[in-house]
Amino acid sequence: MSHRGPFLLLFATGRQLSTLLHEEMADAPLRPDDFAVTSVLLLEQPVRPTELARLTGLRPSTLSNYLRRFEADGVVSRRRDPDDGRANLVELTEEGKARTEACFPGFASAIGSFQKALAEAGVPELDVLETLEGVSRALDLALEKVTLEKVRRGQRRA
C-alpha cells in the first residue's frame, strides 16, 4: 500500500502526465502546456480570459503571460466583447488553429497509451473521470474557502 497522501499523489500524477505528454508530443508545434490552453480555446472560442483561466485552472496572471506570448507569436488575437466593451474576447488565429490541430496526433497517442494502461490495470476509465471531477470540485471549493478567509482577514483583496 502506498504511503503517499492525496497531494503527493496528485503532484506525482501531474508530473507523470507531463512526462507522457512531452514524450508523445515531442514533434508537435506546441508544448503540452501551450496545447492545453489552445485546445480549450479551439473548443470554447471566442472566450473571455477570465473564463479561459477558469477552464484551464490557470491563475489569471499566468494565463495573461500565455496570451501575451501567443499574441506575439500570432497564435491568438484579442478583440472587444460586443456585449461588454470593457471585456476582451480571445480566439485562435488561423495559425493558432493549425498549430493546435497539428498537435492532435501526439495527444491522441498519449491518450491511447493511457487508456491501454488503464485497461491493463483493470481500472475503468469512467471511474477515473468521475473521481478526477470530484477531486477538481473539492480543490475548487477548498481554494474558494481559503481565498474568502484571506479576504475576511484582510490578507487579500476580493
Side-chain angles (χ1 to χ4, degrees):
M1 174 175 237
S2 175
H3 296 285
R4 298 184 291 176
F7 281 15
L8 182 54
L9 284 167
L10 287 170
F11 177 80
T13 55
R15 298 305 315 146
Q16 290 167 308
L17 174 60
S18 178
T19 300
L20 175 63
L21 288 171
H22 277 88
E23 288 292 325
E24 294 285 8
M25 296 176 68
D27 297 327
L30 296 171
R31 297 181 318 221
D33 59 321
D34 292 343
F35 174 71
V37 176
T38 64
S39 65
V40 172
L41 263 173
L42 186 65
L43 296 170
E44 300 291 330
Q45 68 184 353
V47 65
R48 288 182 179 182
T50 52
E51 178 64 3
L52 184 58
R54 186 190 69 76
L55 291 167
T56 58
L58 293 171
R59 294 174 59 115
S61 59
T62 302
L63 178 65
S64 290
N65 292 332
Y66 277 88
L67 294 178
R68 269 194 296 282
R69 185 168 41 84
F70 289 165
E71 201 166 17
D73 290 345
V75 172
V76 301
S77 63
R78 298 182 206 225
R79 62 182 167 89
R80 289 278 177 218
D81 185 339
D83 296 331
D84 180 354
R86 299 169 297 168
N88 285 313
L89 294 174
V90 180
E91 56 194 327
L92 293 173
T93 62
E94 289 304 315
E95 174 68 19
K97 289 177 189 174
R99 287 188 196 179
T100 300
E101 290 170 356
C103 294
F104 288 172
F107 186 67
S109 182
I111 290 172
S113 296
F114 179 63
Q115 288 171 324
K116 183 178 178 188
L118 281 176
E120 288 172 2
V123 178
E125 186 174 353
L126 185 57
D127 290 355
V128 172
L129 290 172
E130 288 174 353
T131 300
L132 289 172
E133 284 291 349
V135 168
S136 180
R137 284 191 306 275
L139 286 169
D140 280 343
L141 183 59
L143 183 57
E144 182 181 311
K145 287 181 178 185
V146 165
T147 301
L148 286 173
E149 181 59 26
K150 284 187 173 189
V151 168
R152 188 184 68 72
R153 290 190 313 234
Q155 294 175 330
R156 187 174 179 167
R157 288 185 282 153

